[in-house]
Amino acid sequence: KAAKIGGAARRIDIDVDGVRTRYLECGDGQPLILVHGGSFGGHYCAAGWSLNMPGLGRHFRVLALDKIGCGWTDNPKTDEGYRIGASVAHLRGFMKALGLPSAFLAGHSRGGYAVTRLALESPEMVRALLVVSSATLMTRPNPIYREWDRQAAKLPDARARCRFLATANSYSDAHVSDAWVEQLAAIEELEKSREAARLLDRSTGRLWPMFEADLVARQAETQAWIARDGIRLPTLVLWGMQDPSATFEPVGLDAIKLLMAHAPICEAHVFNHAGHYVFREQQAAFDAVVIDFLRRHGASH
């Protein structure tokens, strides 16, 4: 089923290996898949890309999915599904369900890990790789999230909590619209979101020890894989200079150094006056850089 959202993108539900998956789609041309950040039970979702989809949709067929266990996509069906690799398998299944043998892939934050891992595991499925402000790829957990969570917990209203968290992780609150906050709050209040959040609570979650141990192991494995075999795909790294969580120094610089050393075609762009949501805070500039890069390198793989 599909419905219009804001007159620009369609909201569509699709079955991905038995997991009901929500995604947004607009535009025509070569497929560009946008993968949001966050983890199981969080309020991050495809709507984070809403400011970028109209502009990018004038050049590409843009698809932004809710990752497994996020947004309006169903949770994993088993305990074992609550591992970082589930987002990679879900992304692969999403492409297969849509009949897409390959696509441009852009991943933000934890989504940056997912697209990079898919590029390593199945390079034939990735035409170009775009990594956006991904501390998850670089094994750099930031304790600031725990402090933000403590402060947000004092706010009784879901909208106030979501607005606080989005603003805290930004250079300014100019991009934190009421419409976006409403979507984030609606996701936070879903029972399936609450269930996943309980399972992965850092203090009391039954599955947190498994998730954390697996995440650390897979991050080290991924970095070693990049260093050993390289990434033979056009690669673009995008970062916000004032990112308070995936900080440009050292995280962004480390990412640039790792990928540039092991990807023959690799470029990096750092945006001033931008935090973790660089693609929203510098929307026009971000879109222009992406469009230019994919025009120049999209046919090279």
Side-chain angles (χ1 to χ4, degrees), residues 83-118:
R83 296 177 183 267
I84 190 68
S87 63
V88 185
H90 181 245
L91 175 58
R92 181 186 289 109
F94 174 73
M95 293 178 64
K96 290 182 178 179
L98 287 174
L100 298 175
S102 64
F104 302 131
L105 295 186
H108 171 239
S109 196
R110 191 153 286 179
Y113 171 90
V115 298
T116 302
R117 186 75 187 201
L118 185 62

mmCIF file of all heavy atoms in Angstrom, residues 83-118:
data_model
loop_
_atom_site.group_PDB
_atom_site.id
_atom_site.type_symbol
_atom_site.label_atom_id
_atom_site.label_comp_id
_atom_site.label_asym_id
_atom_site.label_seq_id
_atom_site.Cartn_x
_atom_site.Cartn_y
_atom_site.Cartn_z
ATOM 1 N N ARG A 83 21.156 -7.836 16.293
ATOM 2 C CA ARG A 83 22.590 -7.647 16.099
ATOM 3 C C ARG A 83 22.783 -6.631 14.988
ATOM 4 O O ARG A 83 21.904 -6.436 14.135
ATOM 5 C CB ARG A 83 23.291 -8.963 15.726
ATOM 6 C CG ARG A 83 23.248 -10.046 16.807
ATOM 7 C CD ARG A 83 23.902 -11.331 16.304
ATOM 8 N NE ARG A 83 23.815 -12.422 17.270
ATOM 9 C CZ ARG A 83 24.748 -12.695 18.174
ATOM 10 N NH1 ARG A 83 25.848 -11.944 18.223
ATOM 11 N NH2 ARG A 83 24.603 -13.715 19.004
ATOM 12 N N ILE A 84 23.957 -6.003 14.941
ATOM 13 C CA ILE A 84 24.215 -4.957 13.953
ATOM 14 C C ILE A 84 24.095 -5.486 12.526
ATOM 15 O O ILE A 84 23.690 -4.782 11.615
ATOM 16 C CB ILE A 84 25.606 -4.315 14.192
ATOM 17 C CG1 ILE A 84 25.777 -3.059 13.325
ATOM 18 C CG2 ILE A 84 26.726 -5.317 13.943
ATOM 19 C CD1 ILE A 84 24.890 -1.907 13.727
ATOM 20 N N GLY A 85 24.406 -6.783 12.341
ATOM 21 C CA GLY A 85 24.322 -7.357 11.008
ATOM 22 C C GLY A 85 22.915 -7.458 10.467
ATOM 23 O O GLY A 85 22.723 -7.605 9.249
ATOM 24 N N ALA A 86 21.906 -7.369 11.349
ATOM 25 C CA ALA A 86 20.524 -7.450 10.886
ATOM 26 C C ALA A 86 20.192 -6.301 9.943
ATOM 27 O O ALA A 86 19.431 -6.476 8.981
ATOM 28 C CB ALA A 86 19.574 -7.446 12.075
ATOM 29 N N SER A 87 20.742 -5.118 10.200
ATOM 30 C CA SER A 87 20.461 -3.975 9.323
ATOM 31 C C SER A 87 21.085 -4.171 7.947
ATOM 32 O O SER A 87 20.547 -3.694 6.940
ATOM 33 C CB SER A 87 20.971 -2.676 9.952
ATOM 34 O OG SER A 87 22.373 -2.702 10.113
ATOM 35 N N VAL A 88 22.211 -4.878 7.893
ATOM 36 C CA VAL A 88 22.861 -5.162 6.610
ATOM 37 C C VAL A 88 22.035 -6.172 5.820
ATOM 38 O O VAL A 88 21.760 -5.980 4.626
ATOM 39 C CB VAL A 88 24.290 -5.684 6.831
ATOM 40 C CG1 VAL A 88 25.009 -5.866 5.492
ATOM 41 C CG2 VAL A 88 25.081 -4.747 7.742
ATOM 42 N N ALA A 89 21.636 -7.257 6.487
ATOM 43 C CA ALA A 89 20.819 -8.275 5.828
ATOM 44 C C ALA A 89 19.480 -7.701 5.377
ATOM 45 O O ALA A 89 18.978 -8.027 4.290
ATOM 46 C CB ALA A 89 20.601 -9.457 6.772
ATOM 47 N N HIS A 90 18.904 -6.822 6.199
ATOM 48 C CA HIS A 90 17.623 -6.206 5.852
ATOM 49 C C HIS A 90 17.764 -5.293 4.644
ATOM 50 O O HIS A 90 16.895 -5.284 3.753
ATOM 51 C CB HIS A 90 17.089 -5.431 7.059
ATOM 52 C CG HIS A 90 15.769 -4.787 6.829
ATOM 53 N ND1 HIS A 90 15.601 -3.414 6.822
ATOM 54 C CD2 HIS A 90 14.537 -5.315 6.607
ATOM 55 C CE1 HIS A 90 14.336 -3.135 6.595
ATOM 56 N NE2 HIS A 90 13.662 -4.254 6.473
ATOM 57 N N LEU A 91 18.849 -4.539 4.572
ATOM 58 C CA LEU A 91 19.100 -3.680 3.418
ATOM 59 C C LEU A 91 19.272 -4.511 2.154
ATOM 60 O O LEU A 91 18.719 -4.177 1.095
ATOM 61 C CB LEU A 91 20.352 -2.828 3.673
ATOM 62 C CG LEU A 91 20.846 -1.948 2.521
ATOM 63 C CD1 LEU A 91 19.767 -0.973 2.061
ATOM 64 C CD2 LEU A 91 22.103 -1.188 2.947
ATOM 65 N N ARG A 92 20.015 -5.608 2.251
ATOM 66 C CA ARG A 92 20.187 -6.491 1.099
ATOM 67 C C ARG A 92 18.837 -7.061 0.666
ATOM 68 O O ARG A 92 18.509 -7.087 -0.526
ATOM 69 C CB ARG A 92 21.150 -7.621 1.448
ATOM 70 C CG ARG A 92 21.407 -8.587 0.284
ATOM 71 C CD ARG A 92 22.240 -9.779 0.709
ATOM 72 N NE ARG A 92 23.626 -9.385 0.968
ATOM 73 C CZ ARG A 92 24.174 -9.328 2.188
ATOM 74 N NH1 ARG A 92 23.449 -9.643 3.258
ATOM 75 N NH2 ARG A 92 25.433 -8.968 2.339
ATOM 76 N N GLY A 93 18.043 -7.510 1.643
ATOM 77 C CA GLY A 93 16.734 -8.052 1.322
ATOM 78 C C GLY A 93 15.802 -7.016 0.734
ATOM 79 O O GLY A 93 14.976 -7.326 -0.141
ATOM 80 N N PHE A 94 15.911 -5.783 1.204
ATOM 81 C CA PHE A 94 15.098 -4.688 0.674
ATOM 82 C C PHE A 94 15.378 -4.482 -0.814
ATOM 83 O O PHE A 94 14.448 -4.361 -1.625
ATOM 84 C CB PHE A 94 15.409 -3.414 1.463
ATOM 85 C CG PHE A 94 14.748 -2.162 0.956
ATOM 86 C CD1 PHE A 94 13.395 -1.943 1.142
ATOM 87 C CD2 PHE A 94 15.493 -1.188 0.302
ATOM 88 C CE1 PHE A 94 12.783 -0.780 0.682
ATOM 89 C CE2 PHE A 94 14.893 -0.022 -0.164
ATOM 90 C CZ PHE A 94 13.537 0.180 0.027
ATOM 91 N N MET A 95 16.642 -4.474 -1.179
ATOM 92 C CA MET A 95 16.999 -4.294 -2.583
ATOM 93 C C MET A 95 16.489 -5.451 -3.429
ATOM 94 O O MET A 95 15.968 -5.259 -4.533
ATOM 95 C CB MET A 95 18.508 -4.138 -2.718
ATOM 96 C CG MET A 95 19.056 -2.862 -2.091
ATOM 97 S SD MET A 95 20.867 -2.706 -2.198
ATOM 98 C CE MET A 95 21.117 -2.599 -3.985
ATOM 99 N N LYS A 96 16.613 -6.654 -2.910
ATOM 100 C CA LYS A 96 16.138 -7.825 -3.658
ATOM 101 C C LYS A 96 14.626 -7.804 -3.801
ATOM 102 O O LYS A 96 14.081 -8.156 -4.853
ATOM 103 C CB LYS A 96 16.612 -9.097 -2.972
ATOM 104 C CG LYS A 96 18.118 -9.326 -3.083
ATOM 105 C CD LYS A 96 18.544 -10.624 -2.418
ATOM 106 C CE LYS A 96 20.039 -10.859 -2.592
ATOM 107 N NZ LYS A 96 20.491 -12.116 -1.923
ATOM 108 N N ALA A 97 13.922 -7.398 -2.745
ATOM 109 C CA ALA A 97 12.464 -7.350 -2.794
ATOM 110 C C ALA A 97 11.970 -6.357 -3.839
ATOM 111 O O ALA A 97 10.902 -6.539 -4.433
ATOM 112 C CB ALA A 97 11.911 -6.990 -1.415
ATOM 113 N N LEU A 98 12.742 -5.298 -4.063
ATOM 114 C CA LEU A 98 12.382 -4.291 -5.063
ATOM 115 C C LEU A 98 12.947 -4.599 -6.440
ATOM 116 O O LEU A 98 12.760 -3.832 -7.386
ATOM 117 C CB LEU A 98 12.872 -2.910 -4.609
ATOM 118 C CG LEU A 98 12.093 -2.269 -3.470
ATOM 119 C CD1 LEU A 98 12.762 -0.979 -3.009
ATOM 120 C CD2 LEU A 98 10.655 -1.995 -3.882
ATOM 121 N N GLY A 99 13.684 -5.705 -6.558
ATOM 122 C CA GLY A 99 14.262 -6.076 -7.833
ATOM 123 C C GLY A 99 15.396 -5.167 -8.265
ATOM 124 O O GLY A 99 15.592 -4.929 -9.465
ATOM 125 N N LEU A 100 16.161 -4.661 -7.285
ATOM 126 C CA LEU A 100 17.279 -3.764 -7.582
ATOM 127 C C LEU A 100 18.594 -4.528 -7.463
ATOM 128 O O LEU A 100 19.050 -4.806 -6.352
ATOM 129 C CB LEU A 100 17.293 -2.579 -6.610
ATOM 130 C CG LEU A 100 16.070 -1.655 -6.638
ATOM 131 C CD1 LEU A 100 16.189 -0.611 -5.531
ATOM 132 C CD2 LEU A 100 15.943 -0.988 -7.995
ATOM 133 N N PRO A 101 19.225 -4.881 -8.578
ATOM 134 C CA PRO A 101 20.502 -5.595 -8.495
ATOM 135 C C PRO A 101 21.623 -4.736 -7.930
ATOM 136 O O PRO A 101 22.584 -5.251 -7.349
ATOM 137 C CB PRO A 101 20.783 -6.005 -9.938
ATOM 138 C CG PRO A 101 19.996 -5.038 -10.776
ATOM 139 C CD PRO A 101 18.782 -4.707 -9.974
ATOM 140 N N SER A 102 21.507 -3.401 -8.091
ATOM 141 C CA SER A 102 22.521 -2.499 -7.553
ATOM 142 C C SER A 102 21.923 -1.107 -7.402
ATOM 143 O O SER A 102 20.885 -0.789 -7.982
ATOM 144 C CB SER A 102 23.753 -2.441 -8.468
ATOM 145 O OG SER A 102 23.412 -1.888 -9.732
ATOM 146 N N ALA A 103 22.595 -0.270 -6.587
ATOM 147 C CA ALA A 103 22.113 1.089 -6.345
ATOM 148 C C ALA A 103 23.233 1.915 -5.743
ATOM 149 O O ALA A 103 24.231 1.385 -5.246
ATOM 150 C CB ALA A 103 20.914 1.072 -5.398
ATOM 151 N N PHE A 104 23.088 3.239 -5.789
ATOM 152 C CA PHE A 104 23.925 4.129 -4.979
ATOM 153 C C PHE A 104 23.426 3.992 -3.537
ATOM 154 O O PHE A 104 22.216 3.979 -3.295
ATOM 155 C CB PHE A 104 23.775 5.582 -5.426
ATOM 156 C CG PHE A 104 24.110 5.827 -6.873
ATOM 157 C CD1 PHE A 104 23.243 6.546 -7.682
ATOM 158 C CD2 PHE A 104 25.297 5.359 -7.429
ATOM 159 C CE1 PHE A 104 23.542 6.793 -9.012
ATOM 160 C CE2 PHE A 104 25.606 5.599 -8.760
ATOM 161 C CZ PHE A 104 24.727 6.315 -9.553
ATOM 162 N N LEU A 105 24.347 3.934 -2.581
ATOM 163 C CA LEU A 105 23.954 3.793 -1.180
ATOM 164 C C LEU A 105 24.549 4.914 -0.349
ATOM 165 O O LEU A 105 25.759 5.166 -0.411
ATOM 166 C CB LEU A 105 24.435 2.451 -0.608
ATOM 167 C CG LEU A 105 23.836 1.175 -1.191
ATOM 168 C CD1 LEU A 105 24.336 -0.034 -0.404
ATOM 169 C CD2 LEU A 105 22.317 1.210 -1.172
ATOM 170 N N ALA A 106 23.696 5.575 0.439
ATOM 171 C CA ALA A 106 24.140 6.610 1.365
ATOM 172 C C ALA A 106 23.657 6.246 2.750
ATOM 173 O O ALA A 106 22.461 5.971 2.953
ATOM 174 C CB ALA A 106 23.591 7.981 0.961
ATOM 175 N N GLY A 107 24.571 6.219 3.733
ATOM 176 C CA GLY A 107 24.196 5.854 5.083
ATOM 177 C C GLY A 107 24.676 6.870 6.096
ATOM 178 O O GLY A 107 25.833 7.272 6.080
ATOM 179 N N HIS A 108 23.761 7.278 6.982
ATOM 180 C CA HIS A 108 24.086 8.249 8.014
ATOM 181 C C HIS A 108 24.278 7.554 9.352
ATOM 182 O O HIS A 108 23.505 6.676 9.722
ATOM 183 C CB HIS A 108 22.949 9.272 8.141
ATOM 184 C CG HIS A 108 23.078 10.188 9.316
ATOM 185 N ND1 HIS A 108 22.119 10.277 10.303
ATOM 186 C CD2 HIS A 108 24.064 11.053 9.673
ATOM 187 C CE1 HIS A 108 22.497 11.159 11.214
ATOM 188 N NE2 HIS A 108 23.675 11.648 10.861
ATOM 189 N N SER A 109 25.315 7.936 10.090
ATOM 190 C CA SER A 109 25.556 7.450 11.436
ATOM 191 C C SER A 109 25.620 5.926 11.429
ATOM 192 O O SER A 109 26.429 5.342 10.719
ATOM 193 C CB SER A 109 24.482 8.004 12.373
ATOM 194 O OG SER A 109 24.845 7.886 13.715
ATOM 195 N N ARG A 110 24.749 5.241 12.192
ATOM 196 C CA ARG A 110 24.789 3.781 12.182
ATOM 197 C C ARG A 110 24.429 3.227 10.813
ATOM 198 O O ARG A 110 24.853 2.128 10.443
ATOM 199 C CB ARG A 110 23.870 3.229 13.265
ATOM 200 C CG ARG A 110 24.036 1.750 13.529
ATOM 201 C CD ARG A 110 23.657 1.385 14.945
ATOM 202 N NE ARG A 110 24.677 1.810 15.906
ATOM 203 C CZ ARG A 110 24.582 1.638 17.231
ATOM 204 N NH1 ARG A 110 23.518 1.045 17.737
ATOM 205 N NH2 ARG A 110 25.533 2.047 18.028
ATOM 206 N N GLY A 111 23.682 3.984 10.023
ATOM 207 C CA GLY A 111 23.412 3.583 8.642
ATOM 208 C C GLY A 111 24.663 3.587 7.792
ATOM 209 O O GLY A 111 24.749 2.869 6.789
ATOM 210 N N GLY A 112 25.664 4.397 8.176
ATOM 211 C CA GLY A 112 26.934 4.405 7.465
ATOM 212 C C GLY A 112 27.664 3.082 7.599
ATOM 213 O O GLY A 112 28.355 2.636 6.674
ATOM 214 N N TYR A 113 27.514 2.456 8.769
ATOM 215 C CA TYR A 113 28.080 1.111 8.942
ATOM 216 C C TYR A 113 27.376 0.133 8.005
ATOM 217 O O TYR A 113 28.014 -0.677 7.329
ATOM 218 C CB TYR A 113 27.931 0.643 10.390
ATOM 219 C CG TYR A 113 28.294 -0.811 10.566
ATOM 220 C CD1 TYR A 113 29.596 -1.188 10.861
ATOM 221 C CD2 TYR A 113 27.336 -1.816 10.398
ATOM 222 C CE1 TYR A 113 29.937 -2.523 10.986
ATOM 223 C CE2 TYR A 113 27.673 -3.151 10.521
ATOM 224 C CZ TYR A 113 28.972 -3.504 10.817
ATOM 225 O OH TYR A 113 29.300 -4.832 10.922
ATOM 226 N N ALA A 114 26.041 0.189 7.959
ATOM 227 C CA ALA A 114 25.271 -0.768 7.165
ATOM 228 C C ALA A 114 25.656 -0.717 5.692
ATOM 229 O O ALA A 114 25.873 -1.759 5.057
ATOM 230 C CB ALA A 114 23.772 -0.513 7.335
ATOM 231 N N VAL A 115 25.752 0.490 5.123
ATOM 232 C CA VAL A 115 26.050 0.579 3.689
ATOM 233 C C VAL A 115 27.496 0.179 3.404
ATOM 234 O O VAL A 115 27.782 -0.429 2.364
ATOM 235 C CB VAL A 115 25.742 1.988 3.139
ATOM 236 C CG1 VAL A 115 24.250 2.307 3.280
ATOM 237 C CG2 VAL A 115 26.581 3.076 3.799
ATOM 238 N N THR A 116 28.412 0.512 4.320
ATOM 239 C CA THR A 116 29.810 0.129 4.115
ATOM 240 C C THR A 116 29.974 -1.381 4.191
ATOM 241 O O THR A 116 30.691 -1.996 3.390
ATOM 242 C CB THR A 116 30.720 0.806 5.153
ATOM 243 O OG1 THR A 116 30.559 2.226 5.057
ATOM 244 C CG2 THR A 116 32.184 0.449 4.918
ATOM 245 N N ARG A 117 29.315 -1.985 5.148
ATOM 246 C CA ARG A 117 29.401 -3.437 5.293
ATOM 247 C C ARG A 117 28.819 -4.140 4.066
ATOM 248 O O ARG A 117 29.369 -5.145 3.583
ATOM 249 C CB ARG A 117 28.670 -3.863 6.558
ATOM 250 C CG ARG A 117 28.809 -5.326 6.883
ATOM 251 C CD ARG A 117 30.169 -5.660 7.446
ATOM 252 N NE ARG A 117 30.314 -7.107 7.600
ATOM 253 C CZ ARG A 117 31.200 -7.680 8.408
ATOM 254 N NH1 ARG A 117 32.025 -6.953 9.135
ATOM 255 N NH2 ARG A 117 31.276 -8.994 8.484
ATOM 256 N N LEU A 118 27.697 -3.637 3.541
ATOM 257 C CA LEU A 118 27.128 -4.238 2.340
ATOM 258 C C LEU A 118 28.081 -4.082 1.157
ATOM 259 O O LEU A 118 28.219 -4.999 0.330
ATOM 260 C CB LEU A 118 25.773 -3.610 2.010
ATOM 261 C CG LEU A 118 25.022 -4.263 0.835
ATOM 262 C CD1 LEU A 118 24.688 -5.715 1.132
ATOM 263 C CD2 LEU A 118 23.752 -3.495 0.502
#
